[in-house]
Amino acid sequence: DRDGANAVVALCANLLAKAAILLSPALPKTAAKIADTMGFEINTENFTHFITQNSTKDFTTKACDVLFNKVENELMTPPVPQNEPQSEQITIDDFAKCEIKVGTVLECENVEGSSKLLKFKVDLGEGQPRQILSGIAKFYNASELVGKQVCVLANLKPAKIMGLESQGMILSAEDGGRKLVLLGTHSQVKNGAIVG
């Protein structure tokens, strides 16, 4: 139906002309480009003709450059933070290798010759307490930690620190060196309880 197709194209052309006139205050360059392509001017006379009187017109168009560049890729790709280190992801199997247990601090004292280290005796429900060294002396007094329950990475390979063996790692959260909080439980649990 050639006549029907021509009528649809003519309708679309007139709607585009009206849109260009109405958008010209906000998008003057784009509206002017549309008008030039379609062979009319954006002026008071054409505003009256197309908008006020709702009249139509026949157009002879010419080739036109792209009005708006595509921006899909920029919008769909999230920005990558420049100065944030990317954490290495692990699998559930990797996490399963970590044995984190809850234990009660039986003893705690400063390590002689160190301003950072505290020496703990921690009951992890193993029949014999573990000796664990932790560099948290500037955040806690030794005496206030006795009786607290803490979370311990229990299957960490023992290490020698200042000649003393440390048999695990007490877990904590640190806020940029300003504050440190030992990880524990909301309520008392059995020593040796597994965290996970």
Side-chain angles (χ1 to χ4, degrees):
D1 186 354
R2 188 180 184 84
D3 290 339
N6 286 336
V8 171
V9 172
L11 175 62
C12 291
N14 278 273
L15 290 173
L16 182 58
K18 292 180 180 183
I21 292 170
L22 292 173
L23 289 172
S24 61
L27 299 170
K29 292 182 180 179
T30 301
K33 189 184 291 187
I34 294 171
D36 179 64
T37 300
M38 298 180 68
F40 75 98
E41 293 183 5
I42 296 177
N43 53 30
T44 304
E45 180 182 346
N46 279 325
F47 181 88
T48 301
H49 177 80
F50 285 106
I51 308 302
T52 306
Q53 298 175 352
N54 198 25
S55 299
T56 59
K57 180 180 179 179
D58 292 332
F59 295 98
T60 300
T61 62
K62 61 182 180 180
C64 176
D65 293 332
V66 175
L67 293 176
F68 303 103
N69 292 323
K70 286 182 155 186
V71 293
E72 289 93 334
N73 291 340
E74 288 82 355
L75 290 176
M76 293 172 64
T77 304
V80 177
Q82 295 300 311
N83 297 318
E84 273 188 33
Q86 299 296 310
S87 298
E88 182 182 353
Q89 292 187 327
I90 65 172
T91 66
I92 191 66
D93 293 330
D94 294 324
F95 178 73
K97 295 176 184 177
C98 299
E99 188 177 84
I100 302 172
K101 293 183 178 182
V102 176
T104 300
V105 177
L106 303 178
E107 299 176 17
C108 185
E109 61 183 25
N110 292 82
V111 173
E112 187 176 349
S114 173
S115 60
K116 297 180 180 179
L117 287 175
L118 294 179
K119 183 175 71 172
F120 292 80
K121 291 288 185 183
V122 182
D123 180 3
L124 292 177
E126 298 171 329
Q128 182 174 316
R130 297 260 196 120
Q131 176 174 281
I132 300 175
L133 275 69
S134 182
I136 63 172
K138 69 175 182 177
F139 299 101
Y140 287 98
N141 293 321
S143 59
E144 68 180 305
L145 297 175
V146 175
K148 287 188 177 293
Q149 282 201 314
V150 293
C151 292
V152 175
L153 182 56
N155 61 339
L156 185 67
K157 185 177 179 180
K160 285 273 188 174
I161 305 173
M162 293 188 68
L164 299 170
E165 186 175 65
S166 183
Q167 303 166 328
M169 177 189 290
I170 294 176
L171 302 181
S172 60
E174 187 175 353
D175 180 13
R178 297 185 297 273
K179 183 180 179 182
L180 181 141
V181 178
L182 293 178
L183 301 186
T185 58
H186 288 296
S187 57
Q188 198 79 7
V189 297
K190 181 181 178 181
N191 290 330
I194 299 293
V195 176

